[in-house]
């Protein structure tokens, strides 16, 4: 079972709080660590660049297309149309830092082409059904630089620690999907604000119910 986590110079680009993942990889952090702490420990605050494309052995630029390149390693992830707009990892981490939820995991997959961050909230994670069963929902954010996968932000029952668990999480994912278009960053910020307000509402509701 391949985890597909990015490993560069011996470091796996993942960090987590709590239970050790099945693959035994990544940087373990103490309880109370933030998503920024996780991003720093996992070394995922690198940028991607939008590079022009030229015809081989000439100065002729290919119109309407560009390459998406990881800045620190120089690896070219993909070629996209000029309408594609990457959202930087640091921008996503900044937005996720405002969540009223506990950081759980963060990591990158396939050399950095995909990234994920997972959060937990006791109030969201212990929703009661009428028969007494529990739905342990997680707050999941996933974004990419592969030119194909959209930005996703919502709820899932799976704690993401690798490609396999990300696939499983997206199978029961409920939330928002955002394409990498010029207004992507603005839309992600709006949805992050909505999600945070929803989390606070659930927390307040739980407090009233227990009062």
């Amino acid at each position: 079972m391949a985890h597909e986590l990015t490993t560069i110079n011996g470091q796996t680009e993942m960090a987590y709080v709590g239970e050790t993942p099945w693959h035994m990889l990544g940087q373990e952090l103490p309880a109370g660590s933030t998503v920024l702490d996780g991003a720093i420990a996992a070394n995922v605050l690198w940028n991607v660049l939008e590079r022009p494309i030229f015809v081989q052995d000439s100065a002729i630029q290919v119109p309407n297309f560009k390459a998406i390149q990881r800045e620190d390693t120089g690896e070219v992830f993909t070629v996209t149309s000029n309408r594609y707009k990457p959202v930087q990892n640091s921008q996503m981490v900044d937005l996720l830092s405002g969540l009223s939820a506990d950081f759980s995991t963060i990591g990158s997959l396939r050399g950095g082409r995909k990234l994920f961050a997972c959060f937990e909230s006791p109030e969201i994670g212990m929703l009661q059904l009428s028969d007494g069963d529990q739905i342990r929902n997680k707050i999941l954010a996933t974004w990419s630089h592969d030119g194909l996968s959209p930005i996703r932000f919502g709820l899932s029952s799976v704690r993401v620690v690798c490609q396999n668990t990300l696939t499983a999480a997206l199978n029961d994912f409920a939330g928002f999907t955002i394409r990498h278009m010029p207004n992507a960053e603005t839309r992600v910020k709006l949805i992050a604000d909505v999600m945070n307000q929803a989390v606070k509402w659930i927390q307040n509701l739980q407090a009233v119910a227990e009062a």
Side-chain angles (χ1 to χ4, degrees), residues 35-80:
V35 66
L36 178 58
D37 295 331
I40 293 171
N43 192 34
V44 295
L45 290 178
W46 41 264
N47 292 323
V48 292
L49 305 174
E50 302 171 73
R51 295 290 200 186
I53 302 172
F54 295 90
V55 175
Q56 187 174 4
D57 300 325
S58 79
I60 302 173
Q61 184 173 343
V62 177
N64 304 320
F65 288 90
K66 61 188 175 186
I68 305 300
Q69 181 183 39
R70 178 167 168 164
E71 184 177 28
D72 61 342
T73 65
E75 182 178 3
V76 175
F77 286 156
T78 191
V79 173
T80 70

Side-chain angles (χ1 to χ4, degrees), residues 69-121:
Q69 181 183 39
R70 178 167 168 164
E71 184 177 28
D72 61 342
T73 65
E75 182 178 3
V76 175
F77 286 156
T78 191
V79 173
T80 70
S81 76
N82 283 340
R83 285 180 54 79
Y84 180 89
K85 183 63 178 176
V87 176
Q88 298 292 349
N89 300 342
S90 59
Q91 294 173 314
M92 288 295 300
V93 170
D94 285 345
L95 293 173
L96 295 172
S97 294
L99 275 179
S100 297
D102 298 328
F103 164 70
S104 179
T105 67
I106 190 170
S108 88
L109 303 164
R110 298 178 55 226
R113 289 169 176 80
K114 293 183 180 180
L115 294 101
F116 61 84
C118 202
F119 301 81
E120 299 185 21
S121 170

Side-chain angles (χ1 to χ4, degrees), residues 13-28:
E13 292 188 346
M14 184 193 164
Y16 63 92
V17 169
E19 183 180 356
T20 302
W22 65 267
H23 46 63
M24 307 291 288
L25 299 172
Q27 316 302 312
E28 182 179 7

Side-chain angles (χ1 to χ4, degrees), residues 181-194:
M181 305 305 282
N183 64 345
E185 183 183 354
T186 300
R187 295 180 65 195
V188 170
K189 185 179 187 307
L190 175 62
I191 290 171
D193 290 341
V194 170

Side-chain angles (χ1 to χ4, degrees), residues 3 29 33 37 41 48 58 77 133 142 157 163 177 182 193 202 204:
H3 51 73
L29 298 177
S33 297
D37 295 331
V48 292
S58 79
F77 286 156
D133 289 339
T142 179
S157 62
Q163 178 60 61
T177 298
D193 290 341
I202 293 172
N204 291 335

